[in-house]
Amino acid sequence: MEEIKEEMTYEQAMEELEALVEKVEDKNAPLNTIEKDIKRAMQLIAFCKKQLRGYKERFATLMDDNTQE
């Protein structure tokens, strides 16, 4: 299974995740492919959550810095 590259952006991860959802929703998709796609989707979800936490922390810092001036 392909690891998530640190240079991947949140937007790229979301695009890949959306494509995986479409594949999994296909009623004719083979089960072994669905299992692989779900595992990849779980990696992408974890990556996106990590990215969002980072953005939230940076935005909070920016807001704190702005209110202190």
Side-chain angles (χ1 to χ4, degrees):
M1 187 170 323
E2 182 182 338
E3 286 219 17
I4 296 181
K5 300 172 186 140
E6 285 300 317
E7 64 268 6
M8 176 181 260
T9 65
Y10 174 84
E11 291 79 9
Q12 290 169 327
M14 286 300 297
E15 284 179 21
E16 185 178 341
L17 185 56
E18 289 170 4
L20 287 171
V21 168
E22 285 181 23
K23 284 175 61 179
V24 169
E25 288 178 338
D26 180 0
K27 294 177 183 170
N28 298 318
L31 290 176
N32 63 333
T33 302
I34 290 174
E35 180 183 17
K36 184 183 98 183
D37 290 342
I38 289 173
K39 287 179 181 178
R40 178 64 177 168
M42 292 173 70
Q43 285 182 322
L44 290 165
I45 290 167
F47 174 82
C48 288
K49 284 182 177 181
K50 180 180 175 185
Q51 292 290 309
L52 289 173
R53 278 192 300 274
Y55 286 123
K56 182 179 176 183
E57 290 170 8
R58 288 191 295 276
F59 291 148
T61 301
L62 287 172
M63 296 302 290
D64 287 344
D65 289 349
N66 190 37
T67 58
Q68 293 176 1
E69 292 179 3

